Amino acid sequence: AAVTGAPPFRPEGHASAALGARSGVPPLPCVGHGCHSVAMTEGIPVEAADFFAELEYNNERGWWLANQLRWRTVVREPFEALCDALAAEFGQPKVFRPNRDVRFSADKSPYKTHQGAVVRTSPGVGLYLQVSASGLLTGTGWWSPEPGQLEAFREAVLDDDDGDALVAIVEELEAGGSE
């Protein structure tokens, strides 16, 4: 059931608890995504993290409809404003819809528990921005490469010289803290 009339739900140790309390404790690290999560300080209100923390426990149509205006004012509009401010330097992003595609998923939760956007920098490559209960996340990477790109990558990995160079690059990034 939805939490109504109560302060925002913040699980113990959850990043939004630290953000909401303004305790200075950084949000939980982004694990396994090859990116880093940082605290939200300007542009996107802390209430956005609160919204997503609550959505994680109330991911149903009735709660969403009752909180849609809140989503628009504390998540979508500030997120789009941030994307617009970054567009001159990085390119115009595609802001994703809040609805999940549940057609082939065992999890039928109808709404995403984050708001994301991507800027395609070249075919298959892009920059990513996301806000969730964990804070603000940025990343870059390779997604859905074209067949020619994938074939060239595989050949480079299998090549004795290029493959060793790729391993060295990955090891350097990992030593620098990249995941």
Side-chain angles (χ1 to χ4, degrees), residues 35 96 114-119 126-131 137-141:
C35 50
F96 297 117
H114 62 275
Q115 175 66 68
V118 67
V119 175
L127 306 170
Y128 183 73
L129 177 65
Q130 174 182 297
V131 64
L137 174 142
T138 60
T140 185

Side-chain angles (χ1 to χ4, degrees), residues 1 8 14 19 27 31 34 36 39 43 53 69 112 114-115 120-121 126 141 155 160 162:
H14 198 275
L19 287 169
V31 178
H36 301 282
L69 179 60
K112 296 175 185 172
H114 62 275
Q115 175 66 68
R120 305 257 185 238
T121 56
E155 288 175 9
D160 289 337
D162 291 339

Side-chain angles (χ1 to χ4, degrees), residues 31-54:
V31 178
H33 296 288
C35 50
H36 301 282
S37 180
V38 297
M40 295 180 290
T41 56
E42 291 182 14
I44 308 230
V46 171
E47 291 80 10
D50 296 338
F51 175 85
F52 286 117
E54 292 175 42

Side-chain angles (χ1 to χ4, degrees), residues 3 6 20 22 33 36 42 52 70 77-78 80 93 109 128 148-149 152 155 160 162 166 169-170:
V3 178
R22 304 249 186 218
H33 296 288
H36 301 282
E42 291 182 14
F52 286 117
R70 180 175 161 221
E77 290 172 358
E80 287 178 341
S109 301
Y128 183 73
Q149 290 176 308
E155 288 175 9
D160 289 337
D162 291 339
L166 179 60
I169 291 168
V170 170

Side-chain angles (χ1 to χ4, degrees), residues 75-116:
V75 176
R76 187 64 174 222
E77 290 172 358
F79 191 80
E80 287 178 341
L82 177 59
C83 288
D84 289 344
L86 296 171
E89 185 172 349
F90 298 104
Q92 191 61 45
K94 176 194 183 307
V95 177
F96 297 117
R97 298 168 27 127
N99 306 81
R100 291 182 63 243
D101 182 357
V102 298
R103 293 175 297 173
F104 307 106
S105 175
D107 176 7
K108 300 297 183 187
S109 301
Y111 304 102
K112 296 175 185 172
T113 55
H114 62 275
Q115 175 66 68

